[in-house]
Amino acid sequence: MIDLIQEIYGTIQRNKLRTVLTGFSVAWGIFMLIVLLGAGNGLINAFEGQTRDMKMNSMKIYPGYTSKPYNGLNEGRSISLDDTDRELTATAFSKNIITTGATISKGSVYLNFEKENVSISLDGVFPSYPELEAIKIKKGRFINERDMKERRKVIVLHEKTAKQLFPKSQPLGKYLNAQGVSYQVVGIYTDQNSFSPSALIPFTTLQVVYNKGDSIDNITFTTRGLTSEAENELFEKDYRQVMGSKKMFAADDDGAIWIWNRFTQYLQQQAANQTLHIAIWVIGIFTLLSGIVGVSNIMLITVRERTHEFGIRKALGAKPSSILWLIISESVVITTFFGYIGMVAGIAVTEYMNKVAGTQTMDAGLFSVTVFENPTVNIHIAIQATLTLIIAGTLAGLFPARKAVRIRPIEALRAD
């Protein structure tokens, strides 16, 4: 074994530049694979984080415009939703619907407290709103049934809005002025992305205070028993047919109402994530192959340069297996050493990315979206990729080694 190590060390010492360049291609391959996987994981984790707390078994219904004529009525008609549509949704599809809710909005309302003020949208919501949306109560409480029944003037603020209005004081229990209407702050909420956060008040309060009647902006509900994309598509088709009969539009008119199905959106997102993951692996593997090809080429050159030496060894009685083992060992040493360096460097870079941009968001005041999150690679995957590289390096040295073993001593001795 000592003799083998000395021979490998001597060969590497005689060909330092060639060995370093070959090793660099190997290290670069595993380094790029790990970095690409880390970056891909950062994007995938950010996508999944945006819907982490959302109810995937939920849908939102928005009104639109008819795109087809119906029973003598022209296309291009505006479809509106009201509270009877929410009630119809709950009764007509009681088998598949668990909870229903609705939202109405009042835009560009100025909230002010003492010297602080902010322009914001007020959303009238049901107590079930946290069950349907990805929000969490950070302080205080949410709107309850009593608030709805008594049409109380209470308000739940987003944490960013609360910081703007109450930079130096505790907001809970304080009263805000909303263009002549006083609201008591009862809760502070937070969400994943803070996408244009609204101030939330009871649905019935907004209806009365801002004279909205029974109109609503959208219907929201959670579903059960719809576990596949086909079942969800069938439900959407039935829903359009029922709503079309009531609102006078064709059942196949996709423009009349827009259905945001979070379950099918999630499936599409998962498919996109899988495609991205596969693409990263394909690019990384081809990068690895370039390093493996480099090792194989170097071993072929080594065999050609040492043909005369191998002939002498065989003439003196050296077994073919010893020559085979010598060449393969040299290939394994180069691949293992530089593969390890590439793996360590790749993990170090992903950890640095995680530290510097582990939770990267686009933030513009009241708007923020997470675009990069936890760009790291599982250590087991990094080790498996490196072991795969070592095995491939062994195979890369095997073929030149077999060529060396097959050379007859007399032909090897005649070689230049």
Side-chain angles (χ1 to χ4, degrees), residues 17-36:
L17 180 60
R18 189 173 69 191
T19 302
V20 169
L21 292 176
T22 304
F24 176 79
S25 66
V26 172
W28 182 255
I30 192 70
F31 171 81
M32 285 303 300
L33 175 61
I34 292 175
V35 171
L36 285 172

Side-chain angles (χ1 to χ4, degrees), residues 51-315:
T51 57
R52 188 173 297 141
D53 296 322
M54 283 186 179
K55 293 286 185 180
M56 289 299 103
N57 60 325
S58 64
M59 299 187 193
K60 267 190 174 184
I61 312 300
Y62 292 90
Y65 294 87
T66 59
S67 59
K68 297 180 180 181
Y70 180 78
N71 284 354
L73 299 173
N74 294 328
E75 62 183 43
R77 291 178 295 113
S78 174
I79 300 297
S80 60
L81 298 176
D82 55 48
D83 205 45
T84 62
D85 299 320
R86 183 187 63 83
E87 294 172 357
L88 176 63
T89 299
T91 55
F93 300 94
S94 57
K95 179 182 177 181
N96 296 113
I97 290 181
I98 304 171
T99 306
T100 62
T103 304
I104 48 176
S105 301
K106 172 65 177 175
S108 301
V109 175
Y110 283 93
L111 299 181
N112 66 278
F113 177 79
E114 295 179 349
K115 296 181 180 180
E116 307 295 335
N117 64 82
V118 62
S119 177
I120 201 169
S121 173
L122 290 183
D123 285 354
V125 299
F126 279 63
S128 60
Y129 188 79
E131 301 174 16
L132 301 167
E133 302 293 340
I135 73 164
K136 292 181 180 178
I137 296 299
K138 192 172 182 180
K139 294 180 182 179
R141 66 172 180 86
F142 197 68
I143 295 160
N144 56 37
E145 292 292 345
R146 190 170 179 182
D147 296 329
M148 292 279 289
K149 184 177 180 180
E150 297 179 4
R151 298 179 175 84
R152 290 177 171 179
K153 295 182 178 65
V154 294
I155 192 168
V156 179
L157 300 176
H158 189 275
E159 60 178 349
K160 289 190 175 182
T161 308
K163 287 179 182 178
Q164 286 185 306
L165 291 172
F166 303 92
K168 298 180 181 180
S169 61
Q170 170 61 248
L172 293 181
K174 302 289 177 59
Y175 285 85
L176 296 173
N177 183 279
Q179 298 175 198
V181 181
S182 182
Y183 291 97
Q184 184 182 24
V185 180
V186 295
I188 306 296
Y189 78 93
T190 183
D191 59 11
Q192 285 287 333
N193 297 308
S194 309
F195 187 86
S196 299
S198 303
L200 310 176
I201 66 175
F203 181 87
T204 51
T205 302
L206 196 144
Q207 277 185 317
V208 172
V209 172
Y210 299 101
N211 195 28
K212 291 287 185 175
D214 63 350
S215 66
I216 57 180
D217 294 340
N218 61 68
I219 302 170
T220 311
F221 52 86
T222 53
T223 62
R224 60 187 164 202
L226 305 177
T227 57
S228 68
E229 190 168 359
E231 289 175 339
N232 277 267
E233 289 176 355
L234 181 60
F235 175 86
E236 290 181 23
K237 182 178 179 180
D238 292 341
Y239 188 86
R240 289 183 187 279
Q241 186 171 6
V242 171
M243 292 297 290
S245 298
K246 182 176 184 295
K247 310 301 288 188
M248 302 296 288
F249 64 82
D252 59 348
D253 189 349
D254 294 340
I257 57 172
W258 178 57
I259 300 177
W260 178 17
N261 189 327
R262 285 170 175 162
F263 180 77
T264 55
Q265 181 191 35
Y266 176 75
L267 293 180
Q268 292 167 0
Q269 177 182 303
Q270 289 298 101
N273 289 346
Q274 187 66 22
T275 301
L276 175 62
H277 198 67
I278 292 172
I280 289 171
W281 270 103
V282 169
I283 295 171
I285 287 171
F286 275 103
T287 307
L288 280 179
L289 285 176
S290 65
I292 300 304
V293 169
V295 172
S296 182
N297 288 337
I298 291 302
M299 291 300 103
L300 283 170
I301 294 172
T302 299
V303 168
R304 180 177 295 177
E305 289 179 347
R306 300 176 67 183
T307 299
H308 193 75
E309 174 192 335
F310 294 150
I312 295 174
R313 285 173 179 265
K314 294 183 76 173

Side-chain angles (χ1 to χ4, degrees), residues 313-326:
R313 285 173 179 265
K314 294 183 76 173
L316 294 175
K319 295 180 180 180
S321 59
S322 65
I323 298 174
L324 186 72
W325 179 243
L326 174 63

Side-chain angles (χ1 to χ4, degrees), residues 292 295 328 331-332 335-336 389-400:
I292 300 304
V295 172
I328 291 177
S331 174
V332 170
T335 308
T336 303
L389 178 65
I390 293 170
I391 293 170
T394 303
L395 295 175
L398 178 62
F399 298 105

